[in-house]
Amino acid sequence: METEFAALAASGATTLVSLMVTDSWTQARELVGRLFSRAGAGGTTFADLDAARATLLATDVGDAQAAREITDRWHADLYRLLQTASVTRDDLHDVLTSLQQLGNTSAARPVPVHNAINGGVQHGPVIQSGRITGLTFHVHDPGLPVQD
């Protein structure tokens, strides 16, 4: 039974951490938060989940060490829930199934894209898709005086 608990907790932690950097985070946070709230740790858990996510988002994309530490922490927390019988194996399995379904529909954290068009006059369309934020155009025409 201990091996099954450890495997279930590890899978749950890995899936949870992978969802922290996706658009499905809000739903994943609610699912896991409700699971922990059954054990009386709801308020703290939501804050802990948010802190873990903030840490991941603040790190460089692909920072394996930070992701591993956060995964280890949530693995231990989920395993402890199972050991203390605060939640059942079936409860955690149901949440894990829901998290995995969210993971199948989530996109990973977008990588910033910086486009530069140089070398004179450009004629033609420029197409960029996805969520576009912080769009800035710097236009310099060497034939015009620079104004302050």
Side-chain angles (χ1 to χ4, degrees):
M1 190 64 97
E2 294 296 316
T3 304
E4 181 184 6
F5 283 178
L8 193 57
S11 181
T14 300
T15 304
L16 173 64
V17 172
S18 70
L19 288 169
M20 286 182 177
V21 293
T22 67
D23 292 336
S24 296
W25 170 241
T26 302
Q27 294 115 321
R29 178 185 181 272
E30 290 302 314
L31 286 168
V32 174
R34 282 192 304 239
L35 181 72
F36 275 88
S37 68
R38 292 183 206 164
T44 302
T45 301
F46 284 111
D48 292 343
L49 287 166
D50 291 339
R53 180 175 192 261
T55 299
L56 279 180
L57 292 175
T59 61
D60 292 330
V61 174
D63 184 347
Q65 180 65 28
R68 190 171 31 259
E69 289 172 2
I70 293 169
T71 302
D72 290 347
R73 182 270 163 102
W74 288 102
H75 174 235
D77 287 351
L78 290 170
Y79 184 72
R80 192 177 322 72
L81 276 182
L82 289 168
Q83 282 186 315
T84 60
S86 298
V87 298
T88 66
R89 185 197 73 75
D90 290 339
D91 292 336
L92 182 54
H93 186 268
D94 290 346
V95 169
L96 177 57
T97 300
S98 296
L99 290 175
Q100 288 170 337
Q101 289 172 348
L102 287 173
N104 291 336
T105 61
S106 294
R109 173 173 56 169
V111 177
V113 175
H114 302 278
N115 295 318
I117 300 172
N118 296 312
V121 177
Q122 305 296 319
H123 298 280
V126 175
I127 300 171
Q128 182 171 336
S129 66
R131 180 178 289 158
I132 300 173
T133 59
L135 187 61
T136 304
F137 289 99
H138 299 277
V139 179
H140 173 70
D141 183 345
L144 296 175
V146 177
Q147 297 181 2
D148 291 330

